[in-house]
Amino acid sequence: MIPTEEVSARRREIEYKLKQEELTLSFIKDSLEKSDQLTKNMVAILSSFESRLMKLENSIIPVYKQTENLQRLQENVEKTLSCLDHVISYYHVAKDTEKIIKEGPTGRLEEYLNCMDKIQKAVEYFQDNNPDSPELNRVKSLFERGKESLESEFRSLMTRHTKPVPPILILDLISGDDDMEPQEEMFLEHLPEGVLHDIICISGWLVENGRNQDFMTVYFQIRSVQLDRSIKGLKDHFRKNSSSTGVPYSPAIQNKRKDTPTKKPVKRPGTIRKAQNLLKQYSQHGLDGKKGASNLIPMEGHEHDLRVKHLSDALSDKHGPAAGRDDVFDIEIDAYIHCVSAFVKLAQSEYQLLTDIVPEHHQKKTFDSLIQESLDNLIMEGDNIVSAARKAIIRHDYSAVLTIFPILKHLKQMKPEFDQVLQGTAAGTKNKLPGLITSMETTGAKALEEFADNIKNDPDKEYNMPKDGTVHELTSNAILFLQQLLDFQETAGAMLASQETSSSASSYSSEFSRRLLSTYICKVLGNLQLNLLSKSKVYEDPALSAIFLHNNYNYILKSLEKSELIQLVAVTQKTAERSYRELIEQQIQTYQRSWLKVTDYILERNLPVFQPGVKLKDKERQMIKERFKGFNDGLEELCKIQKAWAIPDMEQRDKIRRAQKTIVKETYGAFLNRYGNVPFTKNPEKYIKYQVDQVGEMIEKLFDTSA
């Protein structure tokens, strides 16, 4: 059972909590009533505010609309006034710009172009809005006049400031990059900077506004003349300065050089000399048998020298001094080669200039027209060279074809640059250089083949044969012609390859062309050998014929050895050197047989056996006399005849003398020892005319007219 006090306490606690809850509920009720009252008040306020706003809006909106209308009206008035001012300005354009247009653009180009823009806009306005207005005709007339003035100014600026490029600058331009400092490139200033700016502005305006392309014609005509004059000026420079050892650099780049400001002569592709003049040179200076020279030293007074001197004198009488003529000849070749290089460089520079002035879609056509005259002149000059070479070939002057080699070599080297410069031009323009190259190759190949045939068919004429048996002019000319080909091996090989129809020729390599050239040289040498054999038969004396062949074979061999010809021949003929040495030895043996008619008199096998101390019979004494007399007469006759013969090669001459001297002295010495003391005559000095040493001295004087 729960105690009474505890129950009473719990009851009191519960009653207290109930009272607290009643108080809380009463407070909440009062708060809700206050909140409802506040809400009602706020709703009343907001409703009043909304009412007032509606009244205000109904009052303001009409005012706003009226203000907006007034602003729009104001803007329209301002725009109308602006349009009126703009329209009125078109009626004043002619008056405002007429003075400037009449005075022209000189010195005031920017202002002038602004005036032209104003006039053009006026024209467009009247055409669109008032085509019947008299102002339209006025501004049209003024516009045409202004356009003509701009075209005239364009022509005037181009004419006044376009000048040929000085030859010195051209030479600097084409001299190569080796002399220039790294990362340095030379540019030509064709027009002053200010003038170029004006020209570009005028051309741009004419293209955009003038709708006129006439200025492009003016441009290429003026620049074309300048390009042609520049190239001709370079050619004249070569002619006028032919005696100069060097050409000074232009002041424009003088301070950019690493060393002396004196220009080194441009390396030539090879000095071309006619075979006749080279023959004279070789005969005068002789050679020493080493590479780069030969020991073919002609004897003084020999007919070989006389014939060369006569030939040289004849040429000098007809054309002037040979050296001077050859220098001019070389200068003409160098001038043409440099003109080709100059054309490429100048054309490249012209195209760079053109791109700033001529619209892109007209650049290639304008450039094509610009270079035509200069290119045609170059090609025509090349055709003239080919034509002259063809005429020379008809005259059998094959040395003239050598002019083609350095030119053709240079043209083929320059062809990639040519193709790049002419990219985008007409097909006819692009094909001009390949056509010239083909023409030169065809002409050169024909000349080479005809030269080989001419060597084979050169007639055997007695008056044209050297009486002393020295080197024939045909041999000298043939070898010298072949030596000239060494500087142009690839070019000559390409010439020969161009005439081949085989499949291998269609894609020939340098090795293929080298083999063709080697085959050609072997063919010339073979033809020369056959012709020399035929010519040698003109001599009645077999010994002189042998000396003649010996001299020519030896000259050929020495000439091959002193140059790269022997290596070139060895490409297809490995045993050529050995074959020539065998031929030379054969001719020496043939010559030595000519002495048998002398030594046969004193050979022991042809003499009877004499018993010592036994008196000689008359028949025996007479036989000994005949032997001595036959030897003496034969020796004197051979020495007299062969003294006038020539062996220009000192080494070969001494070799043949020593061999013959040894044979004759030994044979004569044995004969003299045996019969010199035999009493076969009362006058021994009549028959024993020479001692052994005297015989040797006589043989030592062979092949020497001065002895």
Side-chain angles (χ1 to χ4, degrees):
M1 174 176 286
I2 300 172
T4 305
E5 291 89 359
E6 185 176 353
V7 171
S8 298
R10 286 184 178 178
R11 184 181 297 122
R12 286 192 298 272
E13 183 179 354
I14 292 168
E15 290 175 353
Y16 176 78
K17 288 183 179 179
L18 289 172
K19 287 181 180 180
Q20 288 294 325
E21 289 178 358
E22 289 177 357
L23 290 173
T24 302
L25 289 172
S26 176
F27 176 77
I28 292 172
K29 183 178 181 181
D30 291 341
S31 296
L32 287 173
E33 289 176 353
K34 289 180 181 180
S35 178
D36 288 341
Q37 185 63 39
L38 289 173
T39 300
K40 290 177 181 179
N41 292 339
M42 182 59 70
V43 170
I45 292 169
L46 290 175
S47 297
S48 176
F49 184 71
E50 182 180 6
S51 176
R52 290 178 181 180
L53 281 178
M54 289 180 63
K55 291 179 181 179
L56 180 61
E57 183 178 354
N58 292 333
S59 300
I60 292 299
I61 286 177
V63 176
Y64 175 77
K65 289 183 178 179
Q66 290 178 0
T67 304
E68 185 180 10
N69 290 335
L70 289 173
Q71 288 177 344
R72 189 178 296 111
L73 288 173
Q74 184 180 2
E75 289 176 0
N76 289 340
V77 170
E78 290 176 354
K79 288 181 180 179
T80 302
L81 291 174
S82 176
C83 288
L84 286 173
D85 290 338
H86 183 66
V87 171
I88 292 172
S89 69
Y90 288 132
Y91 286 87
H92 293 143
V93 165
K95 180 181 177 181
D96 294 340
T97 60
E98 186 172 13
K99 180 180 178 182
I100 296 176
I101 298 302
K102 286 182 178 180
E103 291 176 353
T106 305
R108 59 197 319 180
L109 181 61
E110 187 174 354
E111 181 182 5
Y112 192 90
L113 292 178
N114 289 334
C115 290
M116 289 297 294
D117 289 339
K118 291 179 182 179
I119 296 171
Q120 185 180 23
K121 290 177 181 177
V123 171
E124 292 172 353
Y125 170 78
F126 288 119
Q127 285 177 336
D128 294 339
N129 299 283
N130 193 2
D132 298 329
S133 172
E135 282 295 323
L136 176 59
N137 295 330
R138 186 178 179 188
V139 291
K140 266 188 174 181
S141 174
L142 199 59
F143 182 80
E144 291 300 323
R145 181 173 182 177
K147 188 169 67 172
E148 291 175 2
S149 295
L150 283 174
E151 293 173 351
S152 178
E153 179 70 6
F154 182 89
R155 180 187 294 273
S156 177
L157 288 173
M158 290 294 302
T159 303
R160 288 202 315 269
H161 298 282
T162 294
K163 301 184 184 304
V165 181
I168 299 298
L169 283 180
I170 298 177
L171 289 173
D172 288 335
L173 191 65
I174 65 178
S175 60
D177 298 329
D178 294 339
D179 295 332
M180 301 297 291
E181 294 181 0
Q183 298 180 351
E184 184 177 358
E185 188 175 356
M186 179 182 174
F187 293 96
L188 291 177
E189 186 182 72
H190 293 284
L191 298 169
E193 185 176 353
V195 173
L196 179 58
H197 177 267
D198 288 350
I199 289 175
I200 292 174
C201 289
I202 294 174
S203 65
W205 191 93
L206 289 174
V207 170
E208 185 177 352
N209 303 299
R211 299 176 182 84
N212 191 329
Q213 299 178 7
D214 292 344
F215 79 94
M216 300 180 200
T217 302
V218 172
Y219 176 84
F220 85 68
Q221 288 175 344
I222 294 175
R223 296 304 301 175
S224 176
V225 172
Q226 176 271 342
L227 177 60
D228 191 54
R229 288 173 62 192
S230 297
I231 295 175
K232 289 180 178 177
L234 177 64
K235 187 184 300 183
D236 293 339
H237 176 80
F238 267 88
R239 292 170 178 167
K240 292 177 182 177
N241 295 275
S242 58
S243 59
S244 301
T245 56
V247 184
Y249 284 126
S250 65
I253 65 169
Q254 197 174 37
N255 58 353
K256 299 179 182 178
R257 296 291 170 179
K258 297 178 181 178
D259 40 40
T260 174
T262 302
K263 181 177 177 65
K264 299 176 182 179
V266 178
K267 186 176 182 181
R268 294 185 177 184
T271 302
I272 306 300
R273 299 294 188 212
K274 287 198 174 184
Q276 293 90 337
N277 292 329
L278 282 169
L279 177 59
K280 178 184 177 184
Q281 174 187 345
Y282 276 72
S283 66
Q284 287 177 339
H285 299 290
L287 307 169
D288 60 13
K290 301 177 182 178
K291 187 174 181 179
S294 164
N295 57 357
L296 300 178
I297 304 176
M299 300 303 297
E300 297 177 3
H302 278 47
E303 184 180 342
H304 174 66
D305 293 331
L306 295 176
R307 187 174 68 255
V308 171
K309 183 178 185 302
H310 173 73
L311 175 62
S312 176
D313 292 343
L315 288 170
S316 296
D317 292 341
K318 184 175 181 181
H319 301 289
R325 187 174 67 256
D326 289 334
D327 288 340
V328 173
F329 186 65
D330 286 340
I331 288 164
E332 289 295 327
I333 295 175
D334 282 346
Y336 183 75
I337 288 173
H338 280 77
C339 285
V340 171
S341 298
F343 171 81
V344 173
K345 295 297 183 182
L346 292 176
Q348 290 173 342
S349 183
E350 286 292 341
Y351 188 76
Q352 292 174 355
L353 176 66
L354 177 142
T355 54
D356 293 329
I357 299 173
V358 178
E360 183 176 359
H361 55 286
H362 291 290
Q363 288 174 2
K364 293 298 184 181
K365 182 178 180 181
T366 304
F367 179 69
D368 196 341
S369 301
L370 190 154
I371 63 173
Q372 279 304 314
E373 183 176 359
S374 298
L375 180 59
D376 286 344
N377 287 339
L378 278 179
I379 299 301
M380 181 175 66
E381 189 170 350
D383 288 337
N384 290 339
I385 293 172
V386 173
S387 178
R390 287 172 179 164
K391 292 178 181 178
I393 294 170
I394 294 175
R395 300 193 306 269
H396 302 293
D397 179 13
Y398 300 102
S399 59
V401 78
L402 295 173
T403 60
I404 292 180
F405 284 88
I407 295 173
L408 178 58
K409 180 179 179 180
H410 187 69
L411 289 179
K412 297 183 80 169
Q413 289 174 342
M414 294 298 296
K415 188 176 182 300
E417 289 189 61
F418 251 96
D419 294 341
Q420 183 179 2
V421 170
L422 301 182
Q423 188 176 6
T425 57
T429 303
K430 294 178 182 178
N431 293 333
K432 288 181 179 179
L433 181 67
L436 178 59
I437 290 175
T438 300
S439 178
M440 286 190 172
E441 284 185 335
T442 302
T443 302
K446 181 180 179 182
L448 292 176
E449 291 301 325
E450 289 195 12
F451 175 77
D453 294 339
N454 186 68
I455 292 295
K456 182 178 181 180
N457 300 321
D458 189 70
D460 305 330
K461 298 179 180 178
E462 186 174 354
Y463 72 84
N464 196 33
M465 294 293 292
K467 294 180 181 179
D468 55 3
T470 189
V471 178
H472 196 278
E473 185 180 352
L474 178 68
T475 303
S476 301
N477 289 349
I479 294 298
L480 294 171
F481 183 87
L482 294 179
Q483 287 174 340
Q484 293 297 304
L485 300 182
L486 289 176
D487 289 334
F488 311 100
Q489 295 183 37
E490 186 174 346
T491 304
M495 279 183 179
L496 296 170
S498 68
Q499 305 304 304
E500 293 289 318
T501 56
S502 62
S503 58
S504 59
S506 60
S507 57
Y508 66 87
S509 62
S510 58
E511 181 61 28
F512 176 72
S513 61
R514 182 174 171 83
R515 290 188 65 83
L516 280 179
L517 183 58
S518 175
T519 302
Y520 171 77
I521 292 175
C522 291
K523 177 182 178 180
V524 172
L525 293 176
N527 290 349
L528 178 60
Q529 183 176 342
L530 291 174
N531 193 290
L532 290 173
L533 283 171
S534 178
K535 289 183 184 302
S536 67
K537 297 176 183 178
V538 172
Y539 295 110
E540 296 180 358
D541 190 336
L544 180 56
S545 176
I547 290 296
F548 170 77
L549 290 175
H550 165 273
N551 285 333
N552 283 272
Y553 292 154
N554 185 62
Y555 180 88
I556 293 171
L557 178 60
K558 294 292 184 181
S559 298
L560 293 177
E561 290 177 335
K562 80 179 179 61
S563 64
E564 296 179 12
L565 279 174
I566 191 66
Q567 289 90 344
L568 198 54
V569 169
V571 172
T572 54
Q573 186 59 263
K574 305 291 185 182
T575 61
E577 185 174 358
R578 185 182 67 191
S579 298
Y580 274 110
R581 294 193 186 282
E582 291 174 354
L583 289 172
I584 292 170
E585 220 30 65
Q586 290 174 8
Q587 300 310 316
I588 292 176
Q589 294 173 7
T590 301
Y591 161 75
Q592 289 175 342
R593 285 196 287 271
S594 68
W595 281 84
L596 293 178
K597 63 181 181 180
V598 176
T599 56
D600 277 353
Y601 283 106
I602 55 176
L603 286 176
E604 186 175 349
R605 68 174 180 269
N606 296 328
L607 293 173
V609 179
F610 298 106
Q611 296 297 329
V614 179
K615 185 178 180 180
L616 296 176
K617 299 179 182 179
D618 291 342
K619 182 178 179 181
E620 292 172 339
R621 287 197 297 271
Q622 185 62 32
M623 180 180 293
I624 295 174
K625 290 178 183 180
E626 289 177 355
R627 298 296 182 181
F628 271 107
K629 186 177 186 304
F631 172 79
N632 293 335
D633 293 344
L635 176 66
E636 291 170 355
E637 181 184 4
L638 279 185
C639 287
K640 180 181 179 181
I641 293 173
Q642 295 184 7
K643 183 179 180 181
W645 295 356
I647 299 181
D649 188 330
M650 183 182 296
E651 181 182 341
Q652 289 291 316
R653 185 166 66 244
D654 292 343
K655 174 184 175 182
I656 292 174
R657 284 173 176 171
R658 283 196 304 271
Q660 203 57 51
K661 187 164 57 174
T662 299
I663 295 172
V664 176
K665 283 179 66 176
E666 288 180 356
T667 306
Y668 181 65
F671 179 77
L672 192 61
N673 287 336
R674 184 170 184 178
Y675 297 105
N677 297 322
V678 174
F680 64 91
T681 178
K682 295 180 180 180
N683 301 309
E685 66 278 359
K686 179 179 178 182
Y687 297 97
I688 307 177
K689 296 174 65 174
Y690 305 105
Q691 295 300 315
V692 174
D693 290 340
Q694 290 177 311
V695 171
E697 291 174 359
M698 293 177 68
I699 295 175
E700 192 66 34
K701 295 177 181 179
L702 296 177
F703 319 117
D704 186 357
T705 56
S706 63

